């Protein structure tokens, strides 16, 4: 069966510091991968999606970037965090043109 | 972004009562999904609908894909305390090379004993 992992589970970072969140998927190959941000426990905002290694599409221009160095690895990064980057970050995977399955999430607090 | 209208925003119900929530859209979808999210966790898929008019059950949960393809509803029968959480609908298009979803804003369900 397929599983999706996110690391770390929680993170507290100062403003201006860099960020790296990792998402990995097991039990499937060539998944579509997604990064979402959720503020205040409501509303899912799609940030990035990827249909293959090195292929990243951005939905919202912002302070964040994403990379997909391996088939089942998706990384969310920032060079300098802003206060507004705080939130709950969710990674999801789907088979091509399929239903999305979410990871456990990373709670990011920027102080 | 969110282009689905999900209602109600919140519900306070007593244990044993039935719950009903719905989503409507101005766009046509060929997939409707319902997720539940517990505090501090990722959304978990409850029911997936792939055909207009489809009615699907998962235990005490029942969801329907509207015949117009612009709406869907979720019913929870005989609610129990563990039904507490936020329920999200999502509409999708499976005809593209990837499955982009549009999400509703969520329905928060609180169950009192």
């Amino acid at each position: 069966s397929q599983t999706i992992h996110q690391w770390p589970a929680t993170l507290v970072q100062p403003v201006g510091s860099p960020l790296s969140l990792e998402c990995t998927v097991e039990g499937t190959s060539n998944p579509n991968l997604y990064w979402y941000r959720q503020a205040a426990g409501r509303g899912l905002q799609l940030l990035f999606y990827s249909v293959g290694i090195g292929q990243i599409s951005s939905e919202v221009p912002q302070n964040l970037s994403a990379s997909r160095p391996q088939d089942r690895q998706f990384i969310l990064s920032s060079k300098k965090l802003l206060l507004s980057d705080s939130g709950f970050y969710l990674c999801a995977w789907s088979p091509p043109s399929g239903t999305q399955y979410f990871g456990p999430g990373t709670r990011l607090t920027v102080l | 972004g969110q282009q689905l209208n999900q209602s109600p925003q919140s519900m306070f119900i007593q244990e044993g009562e039935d719950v009903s929530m719905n989503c409507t859209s101005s766009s046509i979808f060929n997939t409707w999904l319902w997720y539940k999210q517990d505090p501090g966790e990722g959304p978990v898929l409850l029911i997936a609908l792939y055909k207009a008019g489809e009615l699907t059950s998962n235990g005490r949960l029942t969801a329907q894909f509207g015949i117009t393809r612009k709406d869907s509803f979720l019913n929870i029968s005989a609610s129990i305390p563990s039904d507490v959480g936020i329920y999200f609908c999502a509409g999708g298009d499976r005809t593209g090379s990837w499955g982009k979803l549009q999400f509703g804003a969520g329905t928060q369900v609180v169950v009192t004993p």
Side-chain angles (χ1 to χ4, degrees), chain B residues 59-91:
Chain B
R60 294 178 296 105
L61 308 176
T62 301
Q64 185 160 28
F65 192 140
I67 196 69
T68 66
R69 296 167 61 192
K70 293 184 177 181
D71 63 326
S72 177
F73 72 76
L74 175 71
N75 287 340
I76 307 173
S77 62
S79 59
I80 60 178
S82 62
D83 290 334
V84 166
I86 301 177
Y87 292 78
F88 291 98
C89 63

Side-chain angles (χ1 to χ4, degrees), chain A residues 54-107:
Chain A
Q55 300 179 60
I56 309 294
S57 295
S58 174
E59 285 291 294
V60 182
Q62 59 209 319
N63 185 43
L64 302 169
S65 62
S67 62
R68 185 169 178 174
Q70 301 180 44
D71 182 44
R72 289 168 288 177
Q73 184 185 31
F74 206 22
I75 296 173
L76 183 68
S77 304
S78 174
K79 292 182 179 178
K80 289 186 178 181
L81 283 169
L82 307 171
L83 285 174
S84 58
D85 291 325
S86 293
F88 193 48
Y89 288 83
L90 289 159
C91 180
W93 78 273
S94 75
S97 303
T99 302
Q100 291 183 26
Y101 301 91
F102 287 87
T106 294
R107 171 74 60 193

Side-chain angles (χ1 to χ4, degrees), chain A residues 3-79:
Chain A
T3 56
I4 179 168
H5 305 278
Q6 287 187 244
W7 185 88
T10 60
L11 190 61
V12 180
Q13 291 285 92
V15 170
S17 64
L19 173 73
S20 181
L21 303 182
E22 184 171 342
C23 172
T24 57
V25 182
E26 296 177 354
T28 186
S29 59
N30 196 30
N32 292 337
L33 297 172
Y34 311 83
W35 278 112
Y36 289 87
R37 177 166 58 202
Q38 186 178 35
R42 301 289 290 267
L44 292 163
Q45 179 187 35
L46 179 63
L47 303 176
F48 301 95
Y49 68 92
S50 172
V51 299
I53 295 174
Q55 300 179 60
I56 309 294
S57 295
S58 174
E59 285 291 294
V60 182
Q62 59 209 319
N63 185 43
L64 302 169
S65 62
S67 62
R68 185 169 178 174
Q70 301 180 44
D71 182 44
R72 289 168 288 177
Q73 184 185 31
F74 206 22
I75 296 173
L76 183 68
S77 304
S78 174
K79 292 182 179 178

